[in-house]
Amino acid sequence: MIKGFLTVGTWTLLSRILGFVRDILIARFLGTGLAAEAFIIAFALPNMFRRFFAEGAFNMAFVPLYAKKLEADGEDADAFARDAVAGMVLILTLFSVLGIVFMPALVFAMASGFADDARFSLTVIYGRIAFPYILLISLAALISGVLNSNRRFLAAAAAPALLNVALITAMVLVWQFPGLLPMATPVPELIYGKALVWAVPVGGVAQLAFVWWAAARAGHRLFPRHLPRLTPDLKRLLVIAAPAALAGGVVQVNLLVGRQVASHTEQGAVAWLAFADRLYQLPLGIVGIAIGVVLLPDLSRRVRAEDRTGQQEAYSRAFEFSWLLTIPSAVALMVVPLPLVSVLFERGAFGADDTAMTALALMIYAVGLPAFVLQKVLQPLYFAREDTRSPLRFALVSLVVNAAIAIGLAPFIGWPAAALGTTLAAWAMVWLLWRGARRMGEVARLDARARTRSWRILLAAAVMGFVLWVAMIGLGPLFAGPWRALALAGLVLLGIVSYFAAGQLLGAVRLRDLRGALRR
């Protein structure tokens, strides 16, 4: 399982690095102005529904059912997957058409603060171009679920990088060939925005083609052999998916609340939150996604085999792995947010004020980073048992927490209320998931090794945080000059060395364990 974590995490890291390159270019060419905010909201629309349909409800219901069929009869499992593909194509094609037709209403629901200025009409145009991405990426997510259930993690983990390649290529082409996309009004940021939004469906096609090819090479022929039909297996899938869909909808409503609050404050707030989100998504993606992808099918097989010892082992190692990498990441983002944002984004249309505001949002998100990752560890305990109703109830509570904080505090502290609401709602969700899992018995309790190492990891991260704080003060002048990138690299290296050195001394991490996992 650790080998699976490392495979998915490594390829996710590559995708996130490309995502940073993409965001650096967006900050450079679009800044935080009209085209940037329009693209952020337009791109968020298909991604929001993707998490609702594919990575949320459908995948959380599909993977356990498919994994159990795989244990019993591999051929029957692929027949089930083909039926699921046919059903998803039908549903999401209709949904895409409706989304394009009613795009003004969707944009208003996402950012009603745009309604009184030019951002609204531009977001509607961008949204109609980008929205079909939901069909492509949802199908890619389903096929990735097939690959992951068969312990073939590489292609599914590498596919997201193709979208970033498409977006980066689009901006570089416009940069090198300014006349590539002629417009009536040659405003540079609008030209880059147009190139970006057309690259979204192109990237979706590339992702779907890649995982489809990988599945075919692995012997999984998933092209539907008949028109969509409601088989008993699909009925069971829908019954399990319905509560998960509602829970996924609640999570997206939490994001929606944040964007709505930000859209009614000063211009640029939506972009500040988005750029901060990209930074904390790096550790969340590498650790959280890796754990979610690997842990769910593994737990599903162990539940079917009634292997309670194996279930506790899988849960404990997933917790330990997430805690080991997430806690130092959260501490670093809280201690040195300003140098990170400045070096990565402050250039061109992205100014010093944008850096300060993005760094503030990043600090708030960093407090919630461990909670976001722990959700990925706790939720598979429920989904592996085909229990999607409990997470729904917990998600509804987190929605109330988020809305109360974000909307209630916005008149007093402005747009940071959106980030604060998201963070506190994440911790509320973790507490509810943990409390609910106690009734599962020993399988949902950490073993002695995980309990012992968890507090030692906290101490090692605290040592690292102090070292980073002192070093940031010492390197302060360098961050204002041409050597700022080198200074940041030195800060990152110092943080890594100090954390693992402290961890080794305190017994929080055993380097020989990591070396063994890497060799495997």
Side-chain angles (χ1 to χ4, degrees), residues 5 12 15 67 82 88 97 108 111 143 183 268 277 285 322 329 378 396 411 419 448 495 500 509:
F5 290 160
T12 304
S15 178
R82 284 192 291 271
M88 181 172 276
V97 171
F108 188 82
I143 296 165
M183 298 183 69
D277 176 86
S322 68
S329 299
L378 289 163
L396 289 171
F500 280 103
V509 57

Side-chain angles (χ1 to χ4, degrees), residues 22 26 30 39 167 170-171 191-200:
R22 177 196 75 190
I26 291 175
L30 278 74
F39 174 75
L167 294 170
M171 285 185 282
I191 297 174
Y192 281 105
K194 184 177 180 181
L196 272 173
V197 77
W198 276 108
V200 171

Side-chain angles (χ1 to χ4, degrees), residues 1-169:
M1 190 172 66
I2 296 295
K3 181 182 176 183
F5 290 160
L6 292 171
T7 299
V8 177
T10 300
W11 282 97
T12 304
L13 174 61
L14 174 61
S15 178
R16 298 295 175 171
I17 291 172
L18 290 172
F20 274 130
V21 175
R22 177 196 75 190
D23 292 335
I24 289 168
L25 292 176
I26 291 175
R28 166 67 178 82
F29 295 123
L30 278 74
T32 58
L34 179 147
E37 294 200 321
F39 174 75
I40 287 168
I41 295 298
F43 189 39
L45 277 166
N47 275 302
M48 181 181 73
F49 288 111
R50 176 197 77 186
R51 296 185 181 101
F52 177 74
F53 283 114
E55 295 170 0
F58 204 87
N59 223 28
M60 291 303 178
F62 171 79
V63 168
L65 292 176
Y66 180 85
K68 290 179 180 179
K69 285 182 172 293
L70 199 62
E71 289 293 309
D73 184 349
E75 189 172 333
D76 187 49
D78 280 355
F80 171 58
R82 284 192 291 271
D83 289 339
V85 168
M88 181 172 276
V89 169
L90 175 63
I91 293 170
L92 291 183
T93 298
L94 293 174
F95 186 77
S96 297
V97 171
L98 290 173
I100 291 170
V101 172
F102 295 104
M103 186 56 62
L106 289 176
V107 172
F108 188 82
M110 287 284 285
S112 58
F114 287 10
D116 297 327
D117 58 51
R119 291 178 295 176
F120 187 83
S121 58
L122 186 61
T123 306
V124 170
I125 294 170
Y126 284 3
R128 283 175 167 155
I129 297 170
F131 202 73
Y133 176 70
I134 184 178
L135 171 61
L136 301 167
I137 194 58
S138 296
L139 286 172
L142 188 152
I143 296 165
S144 296
V146 170
L147 290 169
N148 292 333
S149 297
N150 285 276
R151 297 187 176 92
R152 294 178 177 270
F153 301 112
L154 194 150
L162 297 176
L163 174 66
N164 289 324
V165 170
L167 294 170
I168 292 168
T169 301

